[in-house]
Amino acid sequence: MPKILKIKRIPFGKDFLALTLGEFILAKEPLSPTAVNHELIHVAQQRELLYIPFFIWYGIEWLVLCVRYRDRIKAYYNIRFEKEAYRHQGDLSYLKYRKHYHYQ
């Protein structure tokens, strides 16, 4: 189980509640079960891609989408990893049946 660490400020954006870095979830405040599930989906994605490739893919996709949408927040919500996490965050059993490499 990843460790949840409380921090004062999230790097890369004041609007974000939490950030997952490998086996650590950095959070500004206590997370709801739905928010924890969202971050655990990111943990699963990062494990599948062996961490570093995940961050490279995530960053490149975000940059490409920033150019496409000309809006960094819209780009963020359209990253395939975020789409999967937001789509399934409310299903607390999702990680039990989640298919590997099923980013959408």
Side-chain angles (χ1 to χ4, degrees):
M1 180 72 170
K3 188 166 185 110
I4 300 175
L5 304 172
K6 185 166 174 18
I7 61 173
K8 290 186 180 200
R9 203 173 127 232
I10 299 288
F12 313 115
K14 62 179 180 176
D15 297 330
F16 297 112
L17 182 63
L19 174 71
T20 301
L21 297 172
E23 298 299 312
F24 297 96
I25 298 171
L26 310 176
K28 292 193 296 190
E29 56 191 57
L31 299 175
S32 68
T34 299
V36 170
N37 196 46
H38 178 101
E39 298 306 324
L40 290 175
I41 292 168
H42 288 316
V43 170
Q45 295 165 340
Q46 291 175 25
R47 285 177 182 162
E48 285 175 347
L49 293 173
L50 305 176
Y51 303 101
I52 299 300
F54 170 86
F55 292 109
I56 292 169
W57 183 346
Y58 191 105
I60 290 171
E61 186 168 354
W62 180 76
L63 288 171
V64 168
L65 292 171
C66 278
V67 171
R68 181 180 191 186
Y69 294 117
R70 298 183 193 279
D71 180 333
R72 63 185 183 88
I73 300 302
K74 189 171 184 180
Y76 162 78
Y77 283 109
N78 280 285
I79 295 169
R80 70 188 69 233
F81 303 114
E82 293 301 339
K83 283 183 172 183
E84 179 188 14
Y86 279 109
R87 181 175 288 122
H88 301 287
Q89 68 185 6
D91 180 356
L92 301 183
S93 64
Y94 175 67
L95 288 171
K96 292 177 185 171
Y97 65 84
R98 178 184 179 268
K99 294 179 184 174
H100 291 291
Y101 308 104
H102 193 71
Y103 318 119
Q104 47 176 321

